[in-house]
C-alpha cells in the first residue's frame, strides 16, 4: 500500500450549517425518503450538534443560518449556496418543496455583507452537485442540477467547471458519489457515473480512491475533509481503512436520523471559501 510522501495537514475551514429544528420526512424527492417512517427530530438535533462540536474541536469555524419552519430539508446546508473566493452562487432548487431555502441563504449572505452574490437562472443544488477540488468545480447533473447551470456556475465563481453525469437515482447528488479529499485528490463510487464521466474522472484523478458499493450506500462518500481529518458516516468502515492507508484520519459520525432524508455529513455542511489574502 502506498504511503504519502509528505505528512498531511489540516487547514482551518469556515462552514455554514443549519440546526435541524424543523427536520422531518413528509415528502419523498429521492429514493431514500419514506414519509411513512417515523423521524426522531430530537435525536436528529443531538446527532447534528455532535457533528458541529467535532468541527469546532478540530479548529473549524461554524456559522449558523436560522432554520425556517416548514422547510424540513433545510438542515442540508450544502444545497444552499456555493462559495469560491468569497463569490456566492445561490442555489435554485429542482423541487418546489425546497424552493424557499434559496432566499433564506441569499438573505444570510446579504446580511453578512458579501459583495458578490449571484442568483441562479438554472436549477443548481449548490454543493450537492458542485464539489470544489482546489481551483476546479466538479459539477453533477442527471437528477437535480440542470446541465445549463454549469456554465452559469463557471461565470459566477470564476473557476473552471467539469461536468459529470450521474446515472443511479440513489446517488442523485454528486456529493453522495464523490468527495474532495484535498486540493488535488478525490474519492468516488464508479457505479454512480455515466461511462464518459468515468473516463473524465480517470483522466483527471488517476490516483483517486475508488469506493465500493457497501461504503457508498451507507453514504460514506458524503464526507467532509479538512486536508487531514475526514468526517464521514461511521458505518463506512471499509472506506475508513482505505483513507487511513492514504494518510488521512477518518472520523466516524452518526447521523442516522438525517439518513432517512437521504443526507449525511457533507449535506449538512456548506463550506465558505474565502479569497486568499495576497
Ligand atoms: N432530502 C434532501 C433532498 O433530497 C436531501 C438533500 C441531501 N443533500 C445533499 N447535499 N446531498 O433534496
Amino acid at each position: 500500500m502506498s504511503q504519502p510522501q509528505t505528512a498531511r495537514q489540516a487547514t482551518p475551514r469556515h462552514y455554514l450549517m443549519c440546526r435541524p429544528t424543523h427536520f422531518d420526512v413528509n415528502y419523498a424527492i429521492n429514493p431514500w425518503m419514506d414519509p411513512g417512517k417515523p423521524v426522531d427530530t430530537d435525536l436528529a438535533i443531538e446527532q447534528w450538534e455532535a457533528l458541529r462540536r467535532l468541527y469546532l474541536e478540530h479548529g473549524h469555524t461554524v456559522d449558523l443560518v436560522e432554520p425556517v419552519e416548514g422547510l424540513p430539508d433545510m438542515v442540508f446546508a450544502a444545497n444552499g449556496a456555493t462559495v469560491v473566493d468569497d463569490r456566492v452562487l445561490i442555489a435554485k432548487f429542482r423541487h418546489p418543496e425546497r424552493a424557499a431555502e434559496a432566499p433564506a441563504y441569499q438573505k444570510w449572505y446579504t446580511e453578512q455583507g458579501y459583495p458578490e452574490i449571484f442568483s441562479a437562472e438554472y436549477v443548481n443544488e449548490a454543493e450537492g452537485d458542485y464539489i470544489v477540488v482546489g481551483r476546479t468545480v466538479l459539477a453533477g447533473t442527471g437528477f437535480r442540477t440542470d446541465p445549463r447551470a454549469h456554465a452559469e456556475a463557471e461565470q459566477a465563481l470564476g473557476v473552471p467547471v467539469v461536468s459529470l453525469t450521474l446515472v443511479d437515482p440513489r446517488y442523485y447528488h454528486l456529493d453522495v458519489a464523490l468527495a474532495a479529499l484535498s486540493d488535488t485528490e478525490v474519492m468516488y463510487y464508479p457505479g454512480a457515473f455515466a461511462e464518459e464521466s468515468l473516463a473524465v474522472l480517470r483522466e483527471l484523478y488517476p490516483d483517486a480512491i475508488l469506493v465500493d458499493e457497501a461504503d457508498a450506500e451507507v453514504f460514506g462518500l458524503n464526507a467532509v475533509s479538512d486536508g487531514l481529518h475526514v468526517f464521514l458516516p461511521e458505518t463506512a468502515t471499509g472506506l475508513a481503512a482505505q483513507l487511513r492507508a492514504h494518510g488521512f484520519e477518518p472520523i466516524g459520525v452518526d447521523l442516522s436520523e438525517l439518513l432517512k432524508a437521504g443526507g449525511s455529513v457533507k449535506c449538512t455542511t456548506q463550506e465558505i471559501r474565502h479569497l486568499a489574502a495576497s
Side-chain angles (χ1 to χ4, degrees):
M1 232 168 270
S2 69
Q3 285 298 313
Q5 307 305 306
T6 50
R8 298 193 180 277
Q9 269 197 327
T11 52
R13 308 292 172 123
H14 185 183
Y15 298 133
L16 182 60
M17 299 178 77
C18 180
R19 182 177 279 106
T21 313
H22 309 293
F23 177 66
D24 200 355
V25 178
N26 49 28
Y27 52 77
I29 57 173
N30 71 53
W32 307 93
M33 300 175 87
D34 176 1
K37 252 204 205 157
V39 167
D40 184 341
T41 304
D42 289 337
L43 180 57
I45 295 172
E46 220 173 273
Q47 293 175 334
W48 175 92
E49 287 287 2
L51 174 63
R52 187 175 78 106
R53 273 199 307 276
L54 262 182
Y55 287 148
L56 295 172
E57 284 162 16
H58 284 81
H60 304 304
T61 302
V62 179
D63 275 327
L64 298 178
V65 61
E66 196 60 41
V68 177
E69 204 180 338
L71 296 176
D73 271 335
M74 197 172 162
V75 58
F76 301 115
N79 299 127
T82 309
V83 186
V84 175
D85 295 343
D86 288 313
R87 293 154 72 134
V88 183
L89 174 60
I90 303 292
K92 182 173 175 175
F93 287 85
R94 163 87 40 203
H95 299 97
E97 291 90 338
R98 297 196 66 187
E101 294 180 40
Y105 284 94
Q106 175 123 24
K107 181 166 166 276
W108 189 86
Y109 278 102
T110 305
E111 283 169 1
Q112 301 292 310
Y114 282 77
E116 294 187 86
I117 304 175
F118 302 86
S119 36
E121 185 183 341
Y122 297 110
V123 167
N124 87 78
E125 298 207 349
E127 289 196 307
D129 275 321
Y130 292 158
I131 311 273
V132 182
V133 190
R135 302 295 296 165
T136 302
V137 177
L138 301 182
T141 187
F143 297 100
R144 298 291 180 90
T145 295
D146 187 316
R148 291 170 297 179
H150 294 177
E152 186 176 31
E154 195 163 79
Q155 280 219 319
L157 301 174
V159 288
V161 170
V162 175
S163 294
L164 300 170
T165 302
L166 297 164
V167 294
D168 182 336
R170 294 176 305 156
Y171 304 95
Y172 59 93
H173 273 145
L174 184 59
D175 75 350
V176 296
L178 182 149
L181 291 168
S182 71
D183 285 351
T184 55
E185 296 160 288
V186 302
M187 56 180 181
Y188 62 90
Y189 167 55
F193 294 92
E195 211 35 69
E196 65 274 17
S197 299
L198 278 178
V200 170
L201 285 171
R202 284 190 210 109
E203 178 71 31
L204 290 176
Y205 307 103
D207 301 322
I209 297 181
L210 301 183
V211 177
D212 65 26
E213 189 174 2
D215 288 314
E217 72 188 4
V218 294
F219 278 61
L221 285 156
N222 199 240
V224 169
S225 171
D226 65 15
L228 171 64
H229 312 105
V230 181
F231 305 90
L232 80 170
E234 63 184 8
T235 42
T237 50
L239 177 53
Q242 281 177 289
L243 288 167
R244 245 178 249 116
H246 282 80
F248 291 98
E249 275 181 39
I251 299 181
V253 178
D254 179 12
L255 290 177
S256 59
E257 283 310 298
L258 296 185
L259 209 55
K260 296 176 179 171
S264 189
V265 180
K266 173 57 202 173
C267 299
T268 66
T269 313
Q270 185 186 127
E271 183 166 349
I272 304 179
R273 299 174 192 80
H274 295 289
L275 191 60
S278 53

